[in-house]
Amino acid sequence: MLIDTYGRMATDLRVSLTDRCNLRCTYCMPEEGLQWLAKPDLLTDDEIVRMVRIAVTDLGVTDVRFTGGEPLLRPGLVGIVERCAALDPRPRLSLTTNGIGLSRTADALSAAGLDRVNVSLDTLRPEVFRTLTRRNRHADVLAGLAAAAAAGLTPLKVNTVLMRGVNDEEAPDLLRWAVGHGYELRFIEQMPLDAQHGWQRADMVTADEILAALRTRFDLTAEGETVRGSAPAERWLVNGGPARVGVIGSVTRPFCRACDRTRLTADGQVRNCLFAREESDLRGPLRSGASDAEVAALWRAAMWGKKAGSGLDDPAFLQPDRPMSAIGG
Ligand code: SAM
Ligand code: SF4
């Protein structure tokens, strides 16, 4: 098991399949993109499947989410999903994507064994989408969402980051739209993980502000069973349910005490926290002949050292060197 000194157990693995992306969301990447990882540095498809196998057979991982960068840009994605779905025990498999190209791949991903997808969409307005992502692909995302729903990749969640003065007025409209389509909307507070280091706490739209805006149009009740540790409820019933909305206050309502995540970057580094400043190299040992048991032991050691919290509230907080797109959000 992947246990840390605070008694938390990591059962949810996030695997980044690439650091590349076809969008340039302003809260994530600069317009010119980033210095991408070189191909030889990326884990191969075989190496990724081996790492997932070790995680589920030796380390108690039950859920695997593929992310990036943009995971749909990984040529071997369908094969990776298929091979992970054949593992015993079979992990639940999900994908976080910007949705571009999903209209072409949703059926194949579902057939390969993918269970669910989260699609990121921050606005209902194509011109705002273009400002926010610096690309004119709004229609592609909507088509991807529809294809994912048709392929049964449900419950389908939509991730939204609000930016003050850009799309923050849209919160209630986004919720009405999501409820109408049967998608579960989740607002995520903007975190200091952008490559440009432009995040400012004062600019961030907080969970409290999001909830207040939603309550101007909807009745929200906390879902009693989902209270995480001492953190406030993360999911809310909309107008009595069954529709739900999530508000993830990673900055103002951190849920570190209940964190069950472990992360593998596209170049084979284990991270025990999104905000960790250290990571543990597993690619080196993997490529120099380490056994499954040796890799598992290194992974356990990496998780054992997980800190109590993200440190975001510490005045001495330092943003990790890797941006969100290279960690795997
Ligand atoms: N490209 C895929 C996508 O956008 O869904 C997967 C990777 S992306 C890094 C994963 C999630 O992180 C997205 O929902 C995105 O909105 C979110 N994200 C990126 N940068 C963020 C930031 N600075 N703060 C909060 N969420 C962020
Ligand atoms: Fe790409 Fe996702 Fe980052 Fe947007 S949030 S630039 S889609 S990796």
Side-chain angles (χ1 to χ4, degrees), residues 20-25 27-29 68-70 98 120 133 325:
R20 291 170 191 253
C21 192
N22 41 13
L23 296 183
R24 296 285 184 274
C25 303
Y27 49 75
C28 185
M29 268 194 211
E70 179 41 51
N98 63 28
S120 303
T133 69
S325 57

Side-chain angles (χ1 to χ4, degrees), residues 10-120:
T11 54
D12 183 346
L13 168 62
R14 310 273 154 136
V15 182
S16 174
L17 296 179
T18 176
D19 58 334
R20 291 170 191 253
C21 192
N22 41 13
L23 296 183
R24 296 285 184 274
C25 303
T26 51
Y27 49 75
C28 185
M29 268 194 211
E31 179 149 27
E32 63 277 15
L34 296 165
Q35 177 76 48
W36 311 123
L37 291 167
K39 183 126 194 278
D41 291 338
L42 296 177
L43 294 185
T44 63
D45 293 2
D46 286 349
E47 287 169 335
I48 286 171
V49 174
R50 180 174 173 207
M51 293 296 279
V52 173
R53 178 170 55 72
I54 293 171
V56 300
T57 57
D58 296 344
L59 297 170
V61 163
T62 55
D63 293 79
V64 178
R65 173 172 295 276
F66 298 108
T67 179
E70 179 41 51
L72 292 179
L73 295 180
R74 174 105 187 186
L77 173 64
V78 172
I80 291 171
V81 168
E82 193 163 32
R83 292 166 69 190
C84 290
L87 293 172
D88 184 20
R90 183 198 189 285
R92 284 182 287 270
L93 297 171
S94 57
L95 178 77
T96 299
T97 170
N98 63 28
I100 294 171
L102 193 54
S103 59
R104 290 190 302 278
T105 47
D107 284 336
L109 286 167
S110 176
L114 189 71
D115 297 306
R116 297 193 300 103
V117 294
N118 285 18
V119 176
S120 303

Side-chain angles (χ1 to χ4, degrees), residues 5 9 25-26 32 47 71 78 91 117 131 181-182 186 254 264 319 323:
T5 53
M9 199 185 295
C25 303
T26 51
E32 63 277 15
E47 287 169 335
V78 172
V117 294
T131 305
H181 284 80
R186 295 145 32 100
L264 181 64
Q319 200 173 321

Side-chain angles (χ1 to χ4, degrees), residues 43 47 267-269 280-290 298:
L43 294 185
E47 287 169 335
D267 56 345
Q269 312 296 305
S280 306
D281 177 37
L282 294 198
R283 186 190 63 199
L286 207 65
R287 290 188 179 170
S288 44
L298 290 168

Side-chain angles (χ1 to χ4, degrees), residues 244-255:
R244 291 185 179 84
V245 62
V247 180
I248 304 175
S250 319
V251 179
T252 64
R253 303 175 173 205
F255 43 87

